[in-house]
Amino acid sequence: MDRSGSANNGSELGGSASTTFRANTAPWSNDKESPNNEDDSNEDDGDTATPAKVTDPLAPRLANNERILVVSVTERTRETWGQKAEFLLAVIGFAVDLGNVWRFPYICYQNGGGAFLVPYCVFLIFGGLPLFYMELALGQFHRCGCLSIWKRICPALKGVGYAICLIDIYMGMYYNTIIGWAVYYLFASFTSQLPWTSCDNPWNTANCMPVTSENFTELATSPAKEFFERKVLESYKGNGLDFMGPVKPTLALCVFGVFVLVYFSLWKGVRSAGKVVWVTALAPYVVLIILLVRGVTLPGADEGIKYYLTPEWHKLKNSKVWIDAASQIFFSLGPGFGTLLALSSYNKFNNNCYRDALITSSINCLTSFLAGFVIFSVLGYMAYVQKTSIDKVGLEGPGLVFIVYPEAIATMSGSVFWSIIFFLMLITLGLDSTFGGLEAMITALCDEYPRVIGRRRELFVLLLLAFIFLCALPTMTYGGVVLVNFLNVYGPGLAILFVVFVEAAGVFWFYGVDRFSADVEQMLGAKPGIFWRICWTYISPVFLLTIFIFSILGYKEMLGEEFYYPDWSFQVGWAVTCSSVLCIPMYIIYKVFFASKGGCRQRLVESFKPDDSCGSVVPGQQGTSV
């Protein structure tokens, strides 16, 4: 695989160049071509070689013993997607994740049903979409990952790239474990009767009672809840973060299987990932449509959908609704994780990334809306079966897809089939997102260190995934479910908001909206309109800063009330958050005071302006130093 190097190694050469030297050593003879790879050798062809005959009148005249040495420098082409559809599917697969299924429907009905779509669409248009478009354009123009790109934009902010890499590691530590839970459920579904259908299993307690029972009360627990907590997680054997217990072998084996799938999807770069996304990105839509058709035919489904969509306009006066809408659209589209940069960097230079941004972000939001129908049709059915209200049935987060939905599936005819396709959908939804997060880090490091890492991508991916798997082992313990929620909040949850704010500030305020717009014009042939430039200059950065401030103020609410967190864990959590955030100021200090020369003003200017030695990234233009 021929990957472009980092800016430090002369990446993206605009074309071929030749240089003539005066030398007493023998040249490449006239009937030989200079090797065009990066390991060009300067060995003599022999002392008796005949000097090349110079016919160019502008060529230098040579003395008797002088020879011509021609060094050929050729353009190193970057690998690109095999088909345009592969890129679109990869972006859609990354953006459409488990949160579209378990978070959006809950947030929607909690914040006014159909009325919630108003702030959701407002923040999509003015906040999420401009940032989404920005990252696709940045990656496609500069054709490198989240580390090397900063030398071309604002060298002092390279710490943003390192922060993103660290955040992606934290995500890999817990997100793959959630996929491992789905794998556990998938294998458990291959039986004549689903194991969470009845209460006569070894892991059940005296409080277990089928949800269809007339005697079911709030003190009773359902078979699905006990299967998840006492069989899959066995959390009763631990005590949260205070005592997490040993690693559960069967769960670790499922998560290991996830890492194996991830490795063979990423080890060859876009060549392997581009083939995998045809399955992992399209399969969830097939399953969603099948589940939707089944769901709307269930008794009580109409009440669930009505509950989902009925607008409560008075809730729009509550600021929390608007903050939830802004947070949902940001985390749903996923700018700032480096993934959009990495995936678009493998596009052709003149690809229409503006149209791609509109298509993929629209599909992502429509998928969330579709998932709401799938979930609430089943919640309406469960309320009908239990003879209760829908608000007493639904849960947010993992509880929705690992307890409530399996609970509903167990009461349907053909429950084994519905269970298998539902958990296959969850697995494919999760795999696409973890592909994207890890590819962001892999692309960044391969581009930044092409000789050490880029040439050995397969080995590097293997070692990286082995490291993340070892770090993730605590999430597979009896108390691991608490750690999963903990890492979700303190790993990427808070830090990524600040990181993306700094990224946006670096691009829009230091690099400049005018310069960025000119880059887009070189790719697409047209400058972005005034709407985009206003959003990039003012609205999007304020959008990010507002979410960040309110998230900091409400971090305990993000943790939820389901689990107990000891006092010491909050200090550890803030340390985890700061570990990535501090990469930014630490690198600024390093760049200004240790990696720059001259007076204070000169150091600042040199650190915050694009490095001209990077040369042009426009095909056919030169300027890259070698």
Side-chain angles (χ1 to χ4, degrees):
M1 178 171 57
D2 188 13
R3 307 178 63 87
S4 66
S6 69
N8 295 329
N9 291 282
S11 60
E12 297 298 335
L13 303 183
S16 62
S18 62
T19 307
T20 304
F21 298 87
R22 289 179 178 255
N24 290 324
T25 57
W28 303 105
S29 62
N30 197 32
D31 59 345
K32 290 185 179 182
E33 293 183 357
S34 170
N36 59 4
N37 55 38
E38 61 186 13
D39 294 320
D40 284 352
S41 173
N42 290 331
E43 294 178 359
D44 296 348
D45 273 349
D47 293 335
T48 60
T50 303
K53 186 175 181 180
V54 180
T55 58
D56 187 349
L58 298 178
R61 296 186 178 184
L62 305 177
N64 291 334
N65 294 327
E66 290 181 328
R67 311 287 174 85
I68 296 177
L69 174 63
V70 179
V71 178
S72 175
V73 182
T74 59
E75 181 178 7
R76 298 182 62 200
T77 58
R78 186 177 184 81
E79 188 178 15
T80 58
W81 295 97
Q83 299 179 46
K84 171 68 174 287
E86 291 178 359
F87 165 69
L88 292 176
L89 289 174
V91 174
I92 292 169
F94 164 72
V96 178
D97 66 350
L98 295 171
N100 293 71
V101 175
W102 76 33
R103 180 165 170 79
F104 176 82
Y106 174 85
I107 290 292
C108 187
Y109 93 80
Q110 186 188 50
N111 290 291
F116 177 75
L117 297 178
V118 173
Y120 184 78
C121 291
V122 168
F123 285 118
L124 166 65
I125 295 170
F126 292 98
L129 186 54
L131 292 169
F132 195 84
Y133 179 21
M134 173 202 77
E135 285 220 341
L136 290 184
L138 273 180
Q140 183 172 304
F141 183 83
H142 294 286
R143 301 175 68 78
C144 52
C146 61
L147 286 173
S148 303
I149 197 172
W150 287 103
K151 193 169 187 181
R152 301 179 181 276
I153 298 174
C154 181
L157 296 183
K158 191 175 180 179
V160 169
Y162 288 110
I164 289 173
C165 291
L166 202 52
I167 287 171
D168 287 334
I169 289 177
Y170 292 144
M171 275 199 66
M173 287 171 58
Y174 75 86
Y175 199 82
N176 290 313
T177 299
I178 296 175
I179 304 173
W181 298 346
V183 172
Y184 192 105
Y185 268 87
L186 178 64
F187 282 107
S189 299
F190 286 96
T191 179
S192 58
Q193 183 182 15
L194 296 177
W196 56 87
T197 303
S198 64
C199 291
D200 54 0
N201 300 290
W203 58 82
N204 291 129
T205 66
N207 293 327
C208 180
M209 186 178 296
V211 293
T212 54
S213 173
E214 295 181 356
N215 299 322
F216 192 86
T217 64
E218 292 183 358
L219 298 177
T221 55
S222 68
K225 183 177 175 65
E226 292 201 348
F227 178 80
F228 180 57
E229 295 178 351
R230 300 181 63 84
K231 176 61 176 175
V232 180
L233 303 178
E234 297 188 47
S235 53
Y236 69 96
K237 294 183 178 179
N239 186 26
L241 296 180
D242 283 327
F243 175 71
M244 301 183 68
V247 173
K248 183 180 178 182
T250 52
L251 194 55
L253 187 61
C254 291
V255 178
F256 178 76
V258 172
F259 273 89
V260 171
L261 284 173
V262 172
Y263 174 73
F264 285 108
S265 300
L266 295 179
W267 68 322
K268 293 292 186 182
V270 295
R271 283 181 293 169
S272 54
K275 305 299 180 290
V276 174
V277 292
W278 283 99
V279 176
T280 56
L282 293 178
Y285 288 96
V286 176
V287 177
L288 273 176
I289 292 171
I290 294 173
L291 292 175
L292 176 62
V293 172
R294 179 67 180 118
V296 297
T297 60
L298 295 170
D302 56 335
E303 290 299 318
I305 293 172
K306 189 185 299 182
Y307 192 87
Y308 171 48
L309 293 178
T310 301
E312 299 178 66
W313 300 107
H314 66 278
K315 288 192 174 182
L316 294 182
K317 299 177 182 178
N318 188 345
S319 61
K320 181 180 179 299
V321 174
W322 293 82
I323 295 300
D324 284 348
S327 299
Q328 176 61 27
I329 197 66
F330 173 79
F331 284 106
S332 179
L333 292 176
F337 289 92
T339 303
L340 301 176
L341 275 174
L343 297 180
S344 62
S345 72
Y346 298 109
N347 276 336
K348 291 180 172 62
F349 184 80
N350 298 113
N351 173 65
N352 193 336
C353 56
Y354 170 66
R355 184 176 57 197
D356 294 345
L358 294 179
I359 292 173
T360 52
S361 58
S362 299
I363 290 176
N364 171 65
C365 295
L366 290 173
T367 304
S368 297
F369 193 58
L370 173 67
F373 284 95
V374 174
I375 295 298
F376 272 89
S377 62
V378 171
L379 291 181
Y381 165 68
M382 288 303 295
Y384 172 83
V385 169
Q386 298 179 33
K387 297 180 175 58
T388 185
S389 59
I390 294 175
D391 59 332
K392 294 182 180 179
V393 174
L395 289 173
E396 180 192 9
L400 180 62
V401 295
F402 291 111
I403 297 177
V404 177
Y405 210 93
E407 212 167 63
I409 287 174
T411 64
M412 301 178 191
S413 57
S415 58
V416 171
F417 169 75
W418 299 115
S419 179
I420 290 173
I421 66 168
F422 176 71
F423 288 108
L424 274 174
M425 180 190 74
L426 292 187
I427 292 169
T428 52
L429 280 173
L431 283 175
D432 270 335
S433 296
T434 200
F435 290 164
L438 292 172
E439 181 60 45
M441 177 170 42
I442 293 166
T443 294
L445 293 172
C446 285
D447 285 347
E448 182 69 10
Y449 308 104
R451 296 180 183 276
V452 178
I453 297 176
R455 291 179 175 178
R456 304 172 181 85
R457 179 185 171 107
E458 293 87 348
L459 177 61
F460 171 68
V461 174
L462 178 63
L463 295 176
L464 175 67
L465 292 180
F467 170 74
I468 296 176
F469 177 76
L470 292 175
C471 292
L473 284 175
T475 64
M476 305 166 217
T477 59
Y478 298 134
V481 65
V482 184
L483 183 59
V484 165
N485 193 56
F486 180 83
L487 286 173
N488 181 40
V489 174
Y490 287 110
L494 295 172
I496 193 64
L497 293 167
F498 178 75
V499 170
V500 181
F501 170 73
V502 176
E503 176 187 348
V507 175
F508 302 145
W509 296 345
F510 290 100
Y511 187 68
V513 169
D514 290 339
R515 184 181 293 178
F516 177 65
S517 298
D519 293 345
V520 174
E521 185 177 14
Q522 288 189 70
M523 292 188 294
L524 307 184
K527 206 168 188 176
I530 187 67
F531 167 78
W532 299 106
R533 297 201 296 273
I534 291 175
C535 285
W536 288 331
T537 306
Y538 306 107
I539 300 176
S540 294
V542 172
F543 164 78
L544 290 167
L545 189 60
T546 302
I547 303 175
F548 175 67
I549 292 172
F550 277 93
S551 297
I552 290 290
L553 296 176
Y555 74 95
K556 287 191 176 181
E557 185 178 332
M558 293 176 67
L559 285 171
E561 300 177 355
E562 186 178 358
F563 305 112
Y564 166 74
Y565 295 92
D567 292 337
W568 58 265
S569 66
F570 297 113
Q571 284 75 36
V572 173
W574 287 115
V576 171
T577 298
C578 291
S579 65
S580 55
V581 169
L582 287 178
C583 290
I584 299 173
M586 288 174 64
Y587 192 86
I588 291 175
I589 294 171
Y590 162 76
K591 182 65 178 176
V592 173
F593 295 101
F594 299 97
S596 301
K597 299 178 181 178
C600 183
R601 180 182 177 82
Q602 184 180 348
R603 287 171 181 264
L604 289 172
V605 170
E606 181 182 336
S607 299
F608 285 92
K609 77 170 186 176
D611 191 339
D612 295 331
S613 68
C614 294
S616 174
V617 294
V618 182
Q621 293 185 11
Q622 282 186 249
T624 307
S625 60
V626 181

